[in-house]
């Protein structure tokens, strides 16, 4: 946290020179104000990724020890999901076709 604060202070101190370089390199007469902020997205994303990895590992462990009938059920569920996605595409396609059939462009 201290390193991040030091970096932010440094960026704030260099705001005008950075703005000048950006304007010069982009050949701009007027350069927008630069605003720096700390992007703390990784603080939220990292725990989510850890949870998703844990779920994936548990699923792989469960599927690795599952009986043949359990594997079939998982495949059937996947097939239903794929069919649902295909239906959505078909519905969208038919909607597009209907709008051109009524004479409007």
């Amino acid at each position: 946290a201290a390193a991040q604060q030091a970096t932010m202070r440094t960026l704030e101190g260099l705001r005008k020179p950075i703005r000048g370089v950006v304007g010069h390199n982009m050949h701009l007469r007027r350069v927008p104000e630069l605003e720096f902020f700390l992007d703390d997205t990784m603080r939220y994303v990292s725990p989510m990724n850890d949870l998703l990895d844990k779920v994936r590992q548990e699923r792989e462990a469960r599927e690795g020890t599952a009986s043949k009938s359990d594997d079939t059920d998982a495949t059937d569920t996947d097939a239903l999901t794929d069919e649902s996605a295909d239906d959505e595409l078909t519905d969208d396609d038919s909607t597009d076709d209907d709008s051109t059939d009524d004479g409007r462009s």
Side-chain angles (χ1 to χ4, degrees), residues 21-86:
V21 170
V22 168
H24 178 73
N25 289 338
M26 295 183 70
H27 307 288
L28 298 174
R29 285 187 184 192
R30 296 184 184 182
V31 181
E33 288 292 324
L34 298 180
E35 195 171 323
F36 300 104
F37 61 93
L38 181 63
D39 182 3
D40 60 352
T41 303
M42 290 307 295
R43 185 174 73 182
Y44 300 103
V45 171
S46 185
M48 286 183 199
N49 283 336
D50 293 343
L51 287 172
L52 291 171
D53 287 341
K54 182 178 178 183
V55 169
R56 183 174 36 253
Q57 289 170 355
E58 289 174 357
R59 181 182 296 155
E60 288 172 356
R62 192 172 53 243
E63 289 175 355
T65 59
S67 68
K68 187 65 177 172
S69 63
D70 289 343
D71 289 342
T72 303
D73 291 337
T75 304
D76 291 344
T77 302
D78 291 341
L80 290 174
T81 304
D82 290 342
E83 288 174 9
S84 298
D86 289 343

